[in-house]
């Protein structure tokens, strides 16, 4: 058995690979051990996923939505005290009736005791545009999602590993020797806490969903919506021209909803 990224033998590898990071709320999309070797798994966790998770936007989003990390620890958020400009840590105590804890400095604490602090502001951060780690995470997830669809088909997986057309995205995600930064497209397609009604009437709060888009120019795009933000990466390189064209021809609909029913929002 060979690794999807480095193509080295992965017979001795023991870890399963979470396609979307566990700390971004993924429990179900996992590749069996050996599809991604332990070294590559470890590289992605430290060099790509960690900086993305530490990004202010993703950290705040995880805090707001109570998305725990793989050790089931809930992330801490940051708030700013307008009067003092002090940035404080905020956390939710799950054992104590979900109470909020804010750690203040002396100046802010004194003002609060005097009743002079009426409000604090949660720091939400801006969605990262043009962030090389987000881009390479998209590349990693795209290739892994392809492998996920072929799990159980040894021949199909073998083809994926040997396919030279996928070598640039493999190299980009795992090594990036050429120091590239492939552009990705991002936009909001629904609200972060949008609720969806399923056919059986159950209400669903989506964390992420993804699919592939093939255009008439034989391009393949990986499309992922995370908490309502759609991200799109060309599987063959740093160009979004074909996607922009596709959007124009399809009334700016999301490829995630083309040919299917529009999302049934609550
Ligand atoms: Zn590997």
């Amino acid at each position: 058995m060979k690794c999807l990224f480095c193509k080295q033998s992965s017979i001795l590898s023991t870890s399963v690979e979470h396609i979307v990071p566990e700390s971004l709320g993924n429990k179900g999309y996992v590749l069996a051990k050996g599809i991604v070797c332990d070294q590559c798994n470890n590289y992605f966790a430290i060099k790509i996923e960690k900086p993305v998770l530490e990004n202010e936007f993703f950290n705040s989003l995880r805090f707001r939505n109570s998305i725990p990390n793989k050790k089931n620890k809930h992330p801490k958020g940051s708030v700013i005290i307008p009067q003092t400009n002090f940035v404080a840590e905020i956390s939710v105590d799950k054992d104590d009736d979900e109470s909020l804890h804010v750690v203040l400095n002396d100046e802010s604490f004194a003002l609060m005791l005097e009743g002079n602090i009426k409000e604090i502001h949660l720091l939400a951060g801006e969605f990262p545009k043009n962030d090389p780690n987000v881009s390479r995470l998209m590349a990693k997830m795209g290739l892994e999602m392809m492998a996920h669809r072929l799990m159980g088909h040894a021949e199909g997986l073998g083809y994926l590993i040997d396919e030279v057309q996928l070598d640039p995205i493999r190299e980009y995600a795992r090594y990036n020797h050429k120091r590239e930064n492939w552009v990705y497209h991002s936009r909001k397609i629904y609200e972060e806490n949008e609720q969806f009604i399923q056919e059986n009437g159950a209400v669903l709060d989506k964390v992420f969903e993804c699919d592939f888009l093939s255009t008439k120019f034989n391009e393949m795009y990986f499309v992922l919506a995370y908490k309502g933000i759609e991200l799109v990466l060309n599987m063959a390189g740093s160009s979004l021209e074909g996607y922009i064209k596709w959007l124009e021809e399809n009334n700016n609909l999301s490829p995630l909803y083309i040919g299917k029913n529009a999302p049934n929002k609550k």
Side-chain angles (χ1 to χ4, degrees), residues 2-10 13 34-41 44 174-175:
K2 285 197 295 182
C3 168
L4 179 60
F5 291 94
C6 67
K7 305 190 188 188
Q8 302 298 307
S9 168
S10 56
S13 289
I35 296 179
V36 177
C37 78
D38 288 353
Q39 284 86 344
C40 289
N41 179 303
F44 290 131
R174 176 62 175 88
Y175 305 103

